[in-house]
Amino acid sequence: FVLIYMVSVAFSLPGATVLSVTGGFLFGPFLGTFYNVLAATLGATALFLAARTALADVLHAKAGPWLDKLSDGFARNAMSYMLFLRLNPVFPFFVVNLVPAFLSVKLRTYVIGTFVGIIPGAFVYTYVGAGLGSIFDTGGELSLTGLLTTEIKIAFAGLAVLALAPVVVKWIKARRANG
């Protein structure tokens, strides 16, 4: 499972969400989250290293001028930027795998920021899978009523919180700017 997930992330194949849910279904919320985070971090790191070496010029050219805008922030505090980008569901995972490679982020900072930053989102998706597992464990039917287990409700609440993260960040920045 970890190898399949890792390869999927390393080659930026679609399906990470399905794999995260599957991890929860197969291994439960906690072990599933660990496997999901481990696999995603390993795959992202492989892509990061490839982007930083062999593919650097080609991928950097495709990234365009917006990349230079991020450069200053990463130069000042790479770990904070990594955590922000990983915790914020607005930024596509594969983009956040590549951008730090072009901005000379240290491998250690990248790995730690990725591992820690994806835990909340991974847990939520894994919990959805564990909720599906609990339906089957109790012999329940896969119906709308059956899907609304406690685990699924908690997972949806977690997704809602993650979805609101950009709004909260924007609100906090606005408050700081206004004094």
Side-chain angles (χ1 to χ4, degrees), residues 17 39-40 53 75 123 173:
T17 301
T53 56
F123 182 74
K173 283 184 176 182

Side-chain angles (χ1 to χ4, degrees), residues 3-140:
L3 183 61
I4 291 168
Y5 198 138
M6 183 183 82
V7 169
S8 174
V9 172
F11 288 97
S12 297
L13 301 174
T17 301
V18 171
L19 287 168
S20 293
V21 171
T22 302
F25 179 75
L26 294 174
F27 306 109
F30 300 107
L31 191 56
T33 297
F34 174 73
Y35 288 152
N36 288 338
V37 170
L38 176 66
T41 301
L42 290 171
T45 301
L47 181 58
F48 171 84
L49 291 172
R52 204 157 97 174
T53 56
L55 304 174
D57 294 335
V58 173
L59 294 173
H60 192 278
K62 287 188 175 194
W66 61 269
L67 188 62
D68 296 329
K69 294 177 185 177
L70 292 174
S71 183
D72 292 338
F74 268 97
R76 283 191 306 264
N77 197 341
M79 183 61 78
S80 290
Y81 265 68
M82 281 300 307
L83 289 172
F84 173 77
L85 291 173
R86 289 297 189 198
L87 287 168
N88 195 327
V90 168
F91 303 106
F93 193 73
F94 78 94
V95 171
V96 182
N97 291 341
L98 296 172
V99 168
F102 304 142
L103 300 177
S104 302
V105 171
K106 292 179 182 174
L107 179 61
R108 176 186 154 112
T109 302
Y110 179 82
V111 171
I112 292 170
T114 296
F115 188 87
V116 172
I118 64 175
I119 289 173
F123 182 74
V124 169
Y125 286 109
T126 305
Y127 214 77
V128 169
L132 291 174
S134 70
I135 292 169
F136 295 129
D137 289 344
T138 61

Side-chain angles (χ1 to χ4, degrees), residues 154-171:
I154 291 170
F156 282 138
L159 286 173
V161 169
L162 282 176
L164 286 174
V167 175
V168 171
V169 168
K170 195 173 190 178
W171 178 77

